[in-house]
Every structure is written in C-alpha cells, then in structure tokens.
Amino acid sequence: MKAILRICAAMLLAGTMSVMAAGSANASSPKWLSIAPGGTHTCAIRTDHALFCWGSNVNGQLGVASTASQSAPVRVGTSTSWKSVTTGQVDTCAVKSSGTLYCWGYNGNGQLGDGTTTDRHTPTRIGTATSWTTVKASDSHTCGIRSGSIYCWGLNTNGQLGDGTTDSHSGPVKVGVSTSWTSVTLGVVHTCAVHSGGTIYCWGRNAEGQLGDGANADRHSPKRVGTLSGWTSIKAGTLHTCGTRSGSIYCWGDDANGELGDGHTTRRNTPGRVGTSTSWTGVTAGYFTTCARHSGGTIYCWGYNGFGQLGDNTSTDRHTPKKIGTSISWSMVSAGTAFTCGLSSSGYAYCWGTNINGQLGDHTLTSRSTPTKITSVLASTV
C-alpha cells in the first residue's frame, strides 16, 4: 500500500503542467484567516473572507473556470462570505458563512458530493442544507459536519465513509445517529473524529494501525480509540494519525519515516506519546510527516523530509520533533502532500516543500526547504 502511495505521489509531483499568470500581481503582502495545503494545490481565506487558490489545476480544483495552473494566489469568484476551506488531492470544498457547502475539482469517485462523477471547474453547491459547519477532503472521499452529525461521501473501499458498508456514494451519507460530533479529519483511506466529551473514534483502513484501536482490521463504522477522554483535536495523515489531549501529542499508525515522533520507525496500533511536553496547542499530519504548534508560537516538524517539507533547510528525515526557524511566531501550521504551509501570528502565509506545480504560491516553481512568504496575489481571476 505504501509503495503504491509513493508511486502515485511521485507521478503527481513530477507531472509537467504549465503554470500561468492571471493578470498582474498585487504587490502588498496579503493577510489570511486560514490556509489549506492539499495534494498539489493550496487554498486560503483572506481576512476579508475572499477565497484564493493556487497550484495544480488539471481537474479544475482551483475553482476559477479553467484548468490553467497558477503559481500565485488567484481569487475564486467574488464572494466575501467564505468561512472555511479544505483541499484534497485534486479537489476542493468550502463552507460559506450561510452554512452552505460548495465543492469543485476532480469527481471521479463522487467525492464532490453532488450526486455525479463529473468534474467541476467552479464552486458547485452540494444539496440545500444551510447548517454545514466544517468540511474535510482527502484523496477520494470527503466528510463534513452539519447540526452535529457527520456525513461522508466518495470512495468507500475500506469503509472510510463509516456507514457500515463498503459501498461508495456520490452524495452525503450520515455516519451513525449521533448529533454530538465536534470535528472530523481524513487520511487517504481512513477517517477519525472527536465526539463531545473528548472521546475519539476512527474507521476505514487499519492495516498500519492508523485507527489506533489496538488491532489492524478495517472498520466500516466508528470505533472508539482507547478509553481516554479529553481529546481536543485529531489529525489524520496518509497512513498515520495524531491527536492532542491535556497539551500532549499522541500519534499512531505507520512510522517508516519517523512520523510518529517517538524516535523510532516502528508502527503502532495504539496512541503513543510524543516526548514529555504538555504545551502543544495543535497538530497536523500529512504525507508521512507531522507538524505541531507549541505554546509561544513555535512550530516543530518530524517524519519524511524528501521534499524539504519539514522546513529545517534539509531533506533529512526526522524521528523526533525538530524546531522550524527562530524568527516567526506561528498561529497555525497545516501539512499537505510533500509540502507544508503556516500562518504567522500577524496573519502572513508561508509555505515550504515541493513547488513543481506552484503550490507554494510564491510566483515560482522553485521548491523550498525553509518557510517562504507569500508576498502577493494575482490581481484578477482567470
């Protein structure tokens, strides 16, 4: 499985795509509310709640009515009502302040949720509900929360949709009957979520132990992870998962590149603590990598570093947390496929790692092994 994922990622990263400019650049450094790196593209919401995307666009995942890739942020439509955005491998979804949900990009597995398998090059509304609070996209499935319930759609070969079957769906299907879910996160073929009271549940593929339930059998419906409560967040990576509770980070699943952060490369099927600190404020998991924010605004990364996505100016894997830089106070960090992005406490965006599709947003195709600031956006849409 891991070899297949690496081959697919390499094909995506090595694809030859023309990266085109769209109008002149706005020279002032933009400020952002959130940023979401995906497979080979990135999207972010500016402080005025306008949405921008950049990077690969072969399936229309930038949402700008074309398939021309972009090496700098280009605006998606004219709305200033975007609340949250998520990026998958080649698709994007976002929620507006009205609670309406929109998706676009690749739809071959029904992951856009519009009842079809047709790609969309502009934001397409999903259903009529106005109570969506969050949405998360992955390689081939998507999940969101509305009115406290989780709904999933797309590919379901390993039970990652959590409806008790392995039947794929091109529209949202409810996960169980609970209306008390607080967050959801997606790996390549597994899903995890935090329930009220701070308990966590996972489902889908489990061959690498990424569900954390002490076994390696796939689960087609939510399975509680251990007996601990008090979990505040959870993030699923390619084949591993990490969560935070009481200021500590715990990770489980695949560990071939040290992404569990415990100094070893041995996979775990139950949560294992990362170091001894109780001052972690958030964690993100990506393509065999993990990054986390520590109190005081510092960030640390560990795991696979072949593309410089750990940001420490090397391509050396790290098996324990490695501090990234010294001069930036960070408010968030988020890992994509072979690249990472973060926001400073001042609201500026930085990205690092592979940039072959322009996903770092710095107007170049040059990969970076240290955080590189996004200094401007394109002045017009395509």
Side-chain angles (χ1 to χ4, degrees), residues 70-240:
Q70 305 292 333
S71 61
V74 60
R75 188 166 176 181
V76 180
T78 60
S79 175
T80 54
S81 298
W82 296 104
K83 178 182 177 181
S84 66
V85 64
T86 181
T87 51
Q89 192 68 37
V90 281
D91 64 304
T92 307
C93 291
V95 176
K96 285 190 173 182
S97 57
S98 60
T100 51
L101 172 64
Y102 294 79
C103 294
W104 58 96
Y106 180 66
N107 198 25
N109 295 294
Q111 60 262 59
L112 299 190
D114 65 350
T116 77
T117 54
T118 303
D119 291 2
R120 306 292 181 179
H121 297 168
T122 56
T124 299
R125 186 168 174 184
I126 309 305
T128 60
T130 58
S131 55
W132 295 99
T133 54
T134 188
V135 63
K136 297 297 179 182
S138 183
D139 284 41
S140 53
H141 76 294
T142 308
C143 295
I145 296 178
R146 76 172 196 242
S147 301
S149 296
I150 292 178
Y151 294 79
C152 294
W153 55 95
L155 193 68
N156 196 29
T157 51
N158 294 93
Q160 58 264 44
L161 301 190
D163 67 343
T165 77
T166 55
D167 299 328
S168 298
H169 297 276
S170 59
V173 293
K174 191 174 180 180
V175 179
V177 298
S178 177
T179 58
S180 299
W181 298 102
T182 60
S183 68
V184 64
T185 182
L186 279 59
V188 172
V189 281
H190 77 289
T191 306
C192 294
V194 179
H195 201 260
S196 62
T199 54
I200 55 174
Y201 292 76
C202 293
W203 57 94
R205 180 180 170 88
N206 197 26
E208 293 76 27
Q210 59 263 56
L211 302 190
D213 63 357
N216 294 90
D218 290 0
R219 306 291 183 179
H220 301 162
S221 57
K223 171 73 173 178
R224 185 170 174 181
V225 180
T227 59
L228 295 174
S229 59
W231 295 94
T232 53
S233 68
I234 189 169
K235 290 297 174 70
T238 301
L239 297 174
H240 75 293

Side-chain angles (χ1 to χ4, degrees), residues 10 49 67 70 78 81-82 95 108 139 161 164 249 256 277 281 326 374 378-379:
H49 293 272
T67 54
Q70 305 292 333
T78 60
S81 298
W82 296 104
V95 176
D139 284 41
L161 301 190
I249 291 176
S277 176
T281 59
T326 58
I374 295 175
L378 296 176

